[in-house]
Amino acid sequence: MILVGLTGGIGSGKSTVSTLLSERGAVIIDADAITREVQQPGSPVISRLAERFGPSIVAADGSLDRPAVAAIVFNDPDALKSLNEIVHPAVGQEMNRRMIEQRSTDHVVVLDIPLLTENPREGLQGRIVVDVPVETQVRRLVEFRGFDEADARARIGRQATREARLAAADFVIDNSGSPENLGAQIDELWSWLTSLPQLPADYEPTTPKPK
């Protein structure tokens, strides 16, 4: 397999890029989607979160009350650290399982990880960054996702800076333009991806420790 990471700030359009890569044949391992899966009602992760943060974070149907958790951890670094220590290992284990499933194939495998810059992974053959100006992020969050401006800026501020993401990038997608422009960049990206060498079939993924 060919193994790369994909990241971008909130509101950058990373999910759109992930979808376009999937349409070209990439296997997407989506950290956010896996996070939701390991937090299903009745899961060990839900139980541990309830033990740490109290039963109020579990909704009546047994699902995780995400806004309640966000309200607890947003301005509490210790609580956020506890959350990460519970959730990240479970997510990492499932991501590794899916990578191992692919390692004897010739697929392009894309790890879609919002916090890849903050929590780098070893063994990647490239890091793709979806980039837009901060003001574009703010506008998209307000217009399309219903954030108020202060909340949008606060969430952007809690992620790695645009400069830090770009400094760690091997390939940058500028998603501030038209869909046609984006499509042309995806074509260039796909050519680059498929030119990378295959990893050995015994490749062993590692999991970064949560910060």
Side-chain angles (χ1 to χ4, degrees):
M1 69 176 172
I2 294 168
L3 182 67
V4 297
L6 172 67
T7 195
I10 185 172
S12 66
K14 176 179 60 64
S15 295
T16 300
V17 171
S18 181
T19 298
L20 291 171
L21 289 173
S22 176
E23 290 173 355
R24 283 162 173 75
V27 174
I28 308 298
I29 300 179
D30 185 334
D32 277 351
I34 292 172
T35 299
R36 291 190 291 272
E37 289 176 21
V38 303
Q39 294 174 348
Q40 291 295 314
S43 68
V45 169
I46 284 275
S47 298
R48 290 191 61 199
L49 289 173
E51 289 174 7
R52 171 61 177 83
F53 299 111
S56 63
I57 66 159
V58 181
D61 63 358
S63 64
L64 186 67
D65 186 337
R66 298 178 193 281
V69 175
I72 293 170
V73 306
F74 192 70
N75 290 308
D76 185 336
D78 289 337
L80 179 61
K81 184 173 184 290
S82 294
L83 174 68
N84 290 340
E85 287 174 345
I86 294 169
V87 176
H88 283 190
V91 174
Q93 182 178 10
E94 178 59 19
M95 292 184 75
N96 286 353
R97 186 190 69 78
R98 297 186 191 191
M99 279 184 271
I100 289 169
E101 282 185 346
Q102 295 294 326
R103 65 185 176 182
S104 62
T105 73
D106 61 357
H107 297 154
V108 174
V109 178
V110 178
L111 305 185
D112 183 338
I113 306 175
L115 302 182
L116 181 61
T117 304
E118 295 87 335
N119 298 286
R121 268 188 170 264
E122 297 179 0
L124 298 178
Q125 295 168 272
R127 292 168 179 79
I128 307 158
V129 170
V130 183
D131 179 58
V132 296
V134 170
E135 293 306 314
T136 301
Q137 290 179 265
V138 173
R139 177 179 56 79
R140 289 177 177 173
L141 292 175
V142 171
E143 290 184 7
F144 303 123
R145 293 174 60 175
F147 285 68
D148 65 55
E149 183 175 339
D151 189 22
R153 292 187 185 278
R155 288 175 184 263
I156 291 167
R158 289 182 64 86
Q159 293 186 329
T161 65
R162 183 186 185 192
E163 291 75 18
R165 279 192 297 270
L166 291 173
D170 297 299
F171 198 105
V172 177
I173 294 288
D174 177 1
N175 194 24
S176 60
S178 67
E180 292 76 18
N181 179 262
L182 177 60
Q185 291 181 80
I186 296 297
D187 289 339
E188 293 177 13
L189 172 58
W190 190 249
S191 294
W192 176 70
L193 289 172
T194 53
S195 73
L196 295 172
Q198 296 280 329
L199 287 171
D202 60 353
Y203 169 80
E204 287 292 336
T206 59
T207 303
K209 294 181 180 179
K211 296 180 179 179

XYZ file of all heavy atoms in Angstrom, residues 2-4 21 26 108-110 126 128 171 186 188-197:
175
model
N 0.251 2.332 -0.394
C 0.837 3.662 -0.269
C 0.070 4.359 0.840
O -1.161 4.375 0.829
C 0.726 4.434 -1.592
C 1.583 3.766 -2.666
C 1.113 5.900 -1.408
C 1.318 4.272 -4.070
N 0.774 4.920 1.823
C 0.122 5.451 3.023
C 0.470 6.923 3.213
O 1.638 7.284 3.363
C 0.569 4.657 4.251
C -0.054 5.052 5.584
C -1.549 4.738 5.594
C 0.650 4.330 6.732
N -0.566 7.760 3.224
C -0.361 9.197 3.412
C -1.378 9.733 4.415
O -2.393 9.095 4.701
C -0.501 9.973 2.082
C 0.564 9.546 1.095
C -1.896 9.802 1.492
N -10.759 12.101 -3.403
C -9.731 11.059 -3.451
C -10.366 9.673 -3.430
O -9.913 8.761 -4.131
C -8.763 11.226 -2.284
C -7.821 12.426 -2.370
C -7.036 12.583 -1.074
C -6.868 12.288 -3.561
N -8.940 5.890 -3.757
C -8.239 5.827 -2.472
C -9.106 5.150 -1.414
O -10.332 5.257 -1.436
C -7.854 7.230 -2.018
N -3.920 3.142 -2.520
C -3.536 4.383 -1.855
C -4.430 4.516 -0.630
O -5.654 4.584 -0.749
C -3.721 5.605 -2.781
C -3.464 6.908 -2.014
C -2.797 5.508 -3.986
N -3.821 4.514 0.552
C -4.559 4.590 1.807
C -4.328 5.978 2.409
O -3.180 6.381 2.618
C -4.108 3.490 2.790
C -4.852 3.621 4.114
C -4.345 2.115 2.171
N -5.421 6.680 2.655
C -5.353 8.050 3.158
C -5.893 8.090 4.579
O -7.050 7.751 4.822
C -6.172 9.008 2.261
C -6.130 10.436 2.817
C -5.646 8.980 0.828
N 3.730 10.723 3.011
C 3.457 12.109 2.651
C 2.344 12.666 3.509
O 1.535 11.916 4.061
N -0.633 15.567 3.280
C -1.404 16.467 2.422
C -2.125 17.458 3.315
O -2.814 17.069 4.256
C -2.436 15.691 1.584
C -1.760 14.547 0.815
C -3.199 16.626 0.643
C -2.732 13.452 0.404
N 2.405 18.080 0.326
C 1.570 18.491 -0.818
C 0.464 19.373 -0.264
O -0.207 18.993 0.698
C 0.978 17.274 -1.528
C 0.468 17.548 -2.916
C 1.177 17.133 -4.027
C -0.720 18.250 -3.114
C 0.709 17.396 -5.320
C -1.189 18.515 -4.396
C -0.468 18.090 -5.497
N -6.643 18.068 -7.505
C -6.804 16.669 -7.102
C -6.183 15.750 -8.149
O -5.568 14.732 -7.810
C -8.292 16.326 -6.885
C -8.872 17.137 -5.733
C -8.462 14.830 -6.619
C -8.250 16.873 -4.382
N -3.572 16.464 -9.976
C -2.127 16.540 -9.737
C -1.740 15.716 -8.503
O -0.722 15.007 -8.502
C -1.706 17.992 -9.549
C -1.840 18.859 -10.789
C -1.470 20.305 -10.519
O -0.877 20.579 -9.442
O -1.748 21.157 -11.368
N -2.560 15.832 -7.465
C -2.290 15.083 -6.242
C -2.333 13.581 -6.497
O -1.459 12.840 -6.017
C -3.315 15.468 -5.162
C -3.307 14.642 -3.873
C -1.946 14.691 -3.191
C -4.413 15.134 -2.928
N -3.322 13.139 -7.248
C -3.452 11.706 -7.505
C -2.250 11.182 -8.289
O -1.744 10.085 -8.015
C -4.757 11.413 -8.240
C -5.052 9.942 -8.325
C -5.043 9.163 -9.447
C -5.367 9.069 -7.233
N -5.341 7.859 -9.126
C -5.556 7.782 -7.775
C -5.525 9.264 -5.870
C -5.880 6.689 -6.989
C -5.848 8.172 -5.074
C -6.022 6.904 -5.637
N -1.774 11.971 -9.241
C -0.578 11.567 -9.993
C 0.617 11.426 -9.055
O 1.417 10.486 -9.179
C -0.269 12.590 -11.088
O -1.279 12.606 -12.064
N 0.741 12.356 -8.120
C 1.842 12.293 -7.160
C 1.702 11.075 -6.249
O 2.676 10.349 -6.012
C 1.867 13.577 -6.337
C 2.896 13.577 -5.246
C 4.259 13.638 -5.409
C 2.661 13.511 -3.836
N 4.883 13.612 -4.175
C 3.923 13.530 -3.193
C 1.506 13.450 -3.060
C 4.062 13.487 -1.806
C 1.636 13.402 -1.675
C 2.904 13.427 -1.065
N 0.483 10.851 -5.756
C 0.257 9.732 -4.848
C 0.602 8.400 -5.500
O 1.257 7.541 -4.895
C -1.197 9.721 -4.366
C -1.610 10.823 -3.396
C -3.118 10.791 -3.173
C -0.883 10.669 -2.074
N 0.147 8.217 -6.715
C 0.350 6.927 -7.377
C 1.783 6.735 -7.847
O 2.145 5.637 -8.272
C -0.625 6.767 -8.560
O -0.511 7.897 -9.432
C -2.058 6.655 -8.065
N 2.611 7.767 -7.752
C 4.029 7.635 -8.087
C 4.876 7.238 -6.887
O 6.059 6.902 -7.041
C 4.562 8.961 -8.650
O 4.711 9.936 -7.618
N 4.286 7.251 -5.689
C 5.029 6.903 -4.483
C 5.280 5.397 -4.429
O 4.485 4.609 -4.947
C 4.255 7.343 -3.236
C 4.071 8.853 -3.055
C 3.122 9.134 -1.888
C 5.406 9.550 -2.837
N 6.367 4.978 -3.792
C 6.652 3.539 -3.703
C 5.706 2.837 -2.738
O 5.204 3.440 -1.792
C 8.090 3.501 -3.184
C 8.248 4.778 -2.420
C 7.411 5.801 -3.157
